[in-house]
Amino acid sequence: MSETTVIFGLHAVRTLLRQRPERAALLILQKGREDARINELVQLAQSKSIKTEWRDTRELDRLAGDERHQGACLQIRSVGALGEGALDDLLDAATTPPLLLVLDGVQDPHNLGACLRTADAAGVTAVIVPKDRAAGLSATVRKVASGAAETVPLIQVTNLARTLRWLKEREVWIVGTDDQAEHSLYSSKLTGPLAIVLGAEGSGMRRLTRENCDALVSIPMSGVVESLNVSVAAGVLLYEAVRQRS
């Protein structure tokens, strides 16, 4: 029997019902809540022959933990992060120069979810994270990602530095981010097969990660803050790459 997990939140549930209905097992809605957005979910579930149950608020609170469920939870057949071997297949299957986002030890699930959401919007081929000391695919990550956790491959690797060296052998250009880098991302080439590397909250990239980057770039900062949240930085870098590629 397939393992299941629960995602929650109106947008995340709607996205999965539309894009991956084959993974949906049970739609769970809050009793007494019947508005346009909830009715849309009911209709989507009916059109895909997905069972719907109405339960009290306490049950949805239990399923969602400390997170806001907005009256909707969806039990899905779980697909976790992919292994290192999947990355080779993704690169082989790419019909355009791959764009990868590498997160070196991002531990906050809200940041990982936000990065996945941005990665989906920017057309990223895959997001790469280390297995240890980093956030994985939790229910919170899936909710914050608003459906992107179901569309963007998340690759977990045992040794990130080794993976970066392997990507170089695949002719992928590795660009890391550093507040003290001499070159701004706006003066750097971000076309062709590319991996953008961001460090963990606070500590940044680890030494071996930094040493395996082909280039380091900075995001210009004009105010008093020294750095951006990692998910915001991911958006800035990815969309500069998108702009250059278009």
Side-chain angles (χ1 to χ4, degrees):
M1 184 175 179
S2 300
E3 292 186 4
T4 61
T5 189
V6 174
I7 64 171
F8 41 86
L10 292 166
H11 189 79
V13 170
R14 182 171 61 247
T15 299
L16 192 133
L17 287 174
R18 284 177 172 173
Q19 298 188 7
R20 297 289 188 275
E22 71 280 358
R23 290 183 51 203
L26 175 66
L27 175 63
I28 303 168
L29 299 174
Q30 181 179 323
K31 282 183 180 179
R33 175 162 182 181
E34 295 183 22
D35 53 45
R37 292 190 292 177
I38 291 293
N39 290 338
E40 180 189 6
L41 298 183
V42 172
Q43 292 171 9
L44 280 170
Q46 289 177 344
S47 69
K48 305 296 182 181
S49 300
I50 298 165
K51 184 179 179 182
T52 300
E53 292 184 359
W54 297 85
R55 300 183 185 176
D56 61 35
T57 304
R58 286 179 297 176
E59 174 64 8
L60 273 77
D61 290 342
R62 183 189 68 79
L63 291 170
D66 295 330
E67 301 294 331
R68 291 181 62 241
H69 51 71
Q70 300 175 298
C73 295
L74 184 66
Q75 188 180 75
I76 64 172
R77 297 172 183 87
S78 181
V79 174
L82 302 174
E84 298 177 46
L87 186 56
D88 200 22
D89 295 335
L90 285 169
L91 294 181
D92 285 342
T95 56
T96 59
L99 175 59
L100 304 168
L101 177 62
V102 181
L103 303 174
D104 185 14
V106 170
Q107 298 187 31
D108 186 333
H110 291 86
N111 280 341
L112 177 58
C115 286
L116 285 168
R117 185 171 182 173
T118 301
D120 175 80
V124 164
T125 308
V127 174
I128 302 171
V129 299
K131 286 183 178 178
D132 298 326
R133 292 184 292 278
L137 276 182
S138 65
T140 298
V141 170
R142 294 180 190 275
K143 179 177 185 294
V144 175
S146 297
E150 319 309 325
T151 59
V152 179
L154 183 70
I155 310 291
Q156 285 186 321
V157 300
T158 303
N159 187 312
L160 187 57
R162 182 177 64 201
T163 298
L164 294 178
R165 291 192 293 270
W166 176 81
L167 286 173
K168 289 183 182 184
E169 294 175 3
R170 292 292 307 254
E171 298 184 341
V172 175
W173 184 249
I174 313 295
V175 175
T177 52
D178 187 329
D179 294 342
Q180 305 304 316
E182 293 182 8
H183 300 288
S184 157
L185 77 156
Y186 300 117
S187 62
S188 303
K189 182 180 178 182
L190 300 178
T191 56
L194 177 69
I196 292 174
V197 187
L198 290 164
E201 305 94 344
S203 58
M205 290 186 296
R206 291 173 292 175
R207 179 181 59 84
L208 284 177
T209 303
R210 180 188 306 273
E211 290 176 358
N212 280 284
C213 291
D214 294 307
L216 296 175
V217 301
S218 64
I219 297 174
M221 303 289 292
S222 300
V224 296
V225 298
E226 296 181 355
S227 63
L228 297 173
N229 173 278
V230 64
S231 62
V232 175
V236 173
L237 286 149
L238 288 173
Y239 270 92
E240 173 58 16
V242 169
R243 185 193 69 79
Q244 291 189 21
R245 288 160 177 258
S246 62

